[in-house]
Amino acid sequence: MSKISIIKEFWDFLKVRKKWWMIPIIAFLLLFGLLIIFAESSAVAPFIYTIF
């Protein structure tokens, strides 16, 4: 199962079940995860950690 098919299946689930309220939650979690990954491997890490 490819990543694209998982995303497509999740999108179809949201459309059929009318779970539009989940989109902001998923988007926030993805952005937060990217921030953590970015902060681990850069010189910006000390500044990002002070935010939290």
Side-chain angles (χ1 to χ4, degrees):
M1 210 170 181
S2 70
K3 290 182 182 180
I4 300 296
S5 67
I6 292 172
I7 294 170
K8 184 182 179 314
E9 187 174 334
F10 182 68
W11 181 254
D12 290 339
F13 167 77
L14 291 177
K15 284 189 336 188
V16 171
R17 304 281 187 199
K18 307 281 193 261
K19 302 289 185 184
W20 300 115
W21 55 269
M22 289 180 72
I23 293 174
I25 296 170
I26 300 299
F28 176 77
L29 290 174
L30 287 173
L31 288 174
F32 192 68
L34 289 174
L35 178 67
I36 290 173
I37 290 170
F38 175 71
E40 287 179 351
S41 61
S42 72
V44 184
F47 303 110
I48 293 176
Y49 287 134
T50 59
I51 293 172
F52 301 107

